Amino acid sequence: MYKNDFYTKEIHGNYELYDAGDFDLEDGGKILDCTLAYKTFGELNEAKDNVIVIPTWFAGTSNDYESYIGEERALNPTKYFIIVINQIGNGLSSSPHNSPEPISMNNFPKVRIGDDVRAQHQLITEKYGIKEIALVVGGSMGAQQTYEWAVRYPDMVKRAAPIAGTAKNTTHDFLFTKTLMDAITSDPGWNNGNYNSNTEVAEGLKRHADIWSVMGLSTEFYQQEKWTLFGVDSAEEFVSGFLEPFFQGMDPNALLTMAWKWQRGDVSRMTKGNLEEALGRIKAKVFVMPIDEDIFFPPRDCKVEQNLIPNSEMKIIHSIAGHFGLFGGEGSYYHDQIDKHLNELLSIAVADKVF
Amino acid sequence: MYKNDFYTKEIHGNYELYDAGDFDLEDGGKILDCTLAYKTFGELNEAKDNVIVIPTWFAGTSNDYESYIGEERALNPTKYFIIVINQIGNGLSSSPHNSPEPISMNNFPKVRIGDDVRAQHQLITEKYGIKEIALVVGGSMGAQQTYEWAVRYPDMVKRAAPIAGTAKNTTHDFLFTKTLMDAITSDPGWNNGNYNSNTEVAEGLKRHADIWSVMGLSTEFYQQEKWTLFGVDSAEEFVSGFLEPFFQGMDPNALLTMAWKWQRGDVSRMTKGNLEEALGRIKAKVFVMPIDEDIFFPPRDCKVEQNLIPNSEMKIIHSIAGHFGLFGGEGSYYHDQIDKHLNELLSIAVADKVF
């Protein structure tokens, strides 16, 4: 364990903690006192059916969805009980740097998307007694968890909106994520996961950020010099002033835990590798929402999966920021698209429910 | 200096050497006895105007164009005198590992695209007395050199076909190339360029190859599992069995010399940064030929430049292999597209010439 000032309420706003107990993992081992950090908005209604679950993306936290939620938005806390749950390993929930021995640092076990969703299910059923979810929505690794929710708990999930992510990770994506991981593990300061502070891995984290500068955006973002979407004035500032310090503040083992999980996201693990069968289990109404300029979760990869989901539609989001469109830097231009689709999705009656 | 068995005639076929003398470089310094390795096909006609110049791409050599040249192809040696010239730093021409002190290894000077083209110009004028070039054509960094040729020697170059490359490198591309370079320089075995053998940098070269596995192909290549285009049967074999050993045989300083040059390719260096003026100088008929699935030289980036070239047309090549479509793994499907466009281009009368 070590203290990392990035993973605090000062940076990420308030959140609550849920202790899922000693949590057994798909790949063996367990997380002792597995803790989920989560944040809620709005009130759970009496029927306990106004629930929206939002899982977090790679290197992200519950804080990243603040701009998605509001009284004027589809994700409206005056109407819904919204619960944003931080994925295991993200630095706020149980993670390598904040876990005591015997699972501290490089002894932290391998975690799967399925582990996250089971722990999230335990949180909302045990703590809140929720039996029905109006909508699961999330971006990137949040989309992976969204798909996992819809396949694993088909009767519980009424609607699902995976944004910029896939149900089964592609080979291209696996290889991309490998370069992100190698950027960190090639730093001698990483020391096989046994460093004293993230600052000892500054060079590896910088290289990690630099790869994001290539894959996270779009060529058109650079052609049109859209730095202002991230509050900076030049490419130099965008990389050296924003992306690099952004990732350098994070915990290397946290990033590696999430990346390993991302590489292996695959709902067909529940159906012995049969993706058609897995996606065919989904009972939710699904809007598949890739971002048109996304380099590594391109719409056509998402379309292949959407074709296998019974009650689904493609809703392509436009963002010149590519995958990082998720950050919402385009403001209402981006959020209005998301809201339009989510409002439509929430208005569709599923079984006997309509909002 | 050290001996690297990759850069031999056994691997790359026969080639000749031209000594350009002590060659002054744009960024200062000089290459003593600057040597260009080149290979010719066909015969120079009496008018010395049946000339096709082909510069090489990043990590490539004259050998890579063998499949582009043939009696049945547009690049027909029974009609044209074709000269394929290896770029400086590629391992066959003057390069860090084959140069003696004082410019050996990490003392090798910085080389620009403009240096290459001036040296190539010296070769074809001094050695062959050529005053007119029917066509300059090349892929990737070969396209960068093609643009440089057309802007620097506008009266000499009658036709130009830059394939999968740009006249002015983009910021996105600069950042991508940086990740390729960092993969190598982060290897402690690189030792600031003073290693005894490329094998000491095996890990860095492997990471370099892994980044190519993400950026060099297309997501659709992986979705459709097109490994057979590279003679292998799986993604694993494609990366571990082909790409990694391919790059691990190369010289790290050679790759870094070429990458530095690639990052700074920019014809507007000849016009004080004015790209419109530089491209406006071109008198050649130009076919701009990007590959549709290219992740880092996408057609739309090429289109921005084509709009600034007076006598030019877009001719988009389809290849699911993305940038690596250049390798010609798709056989006649790829080469027939190239030939169709080059045949058309060569058939267009420029001034009083038509072939």
Side-chain angles (χ1 to χ4, degrees), chain A residues 234-307:
Chain A
S234 67
E236 167 71 18
E237 258 196 274
F238 176 60
V239 177
S240 307
F242 170 66
L243 279 181
E244 291 176 355
F246 178 65
F247 282 103
Q248 283 181 318
M250 298 185 189
D251 178 56
N253 288 334
L255 294 174
L256 293 169
T257 298
M258 288 184 280
W260 190 94
K261 190 199 293 181
W262 166 8
Q263 287 185 303
R264 291 160 183 80
D266 180 4
V267 296
S268 78
R269 285 169 50 80
M270 291 177 271
T271 51
K272 297 180 181 170
N274 187 329
L275 184 63
E276 189 172 352
E277 186 185 336
L279 293 174
R281 284 186 184 180
I282 296 176
K283 293 183 180 174
K285 174 72 183 181
V286 180
F287 278 7
V288 173
M289 292 165 63
I291 293 174
D292 57 355
E293 290 281 357
D294 197 320
I295 294 179
F296 56 96
F297 284 124
R300 60 187 176 187
D301 279 352
C302 299
K303 177 67 183 165
V304 171
E305 298 183 335
Q306 186 260 319
N307 288 339

Side-chain angles (χ1 to χ4, degrees), chain A residues 142-159:
Chain A
Q144 290 183 307
Q145 294 165 74
T146 298
Y147 276 118
E148 182 85 17
W149 262 106
V151 174
R152 189 174 283 271
Y153 305 108
D155 292 314
M156 190 173 189
V157 178
K158 301 304 176 193
R159 296 171 197 79

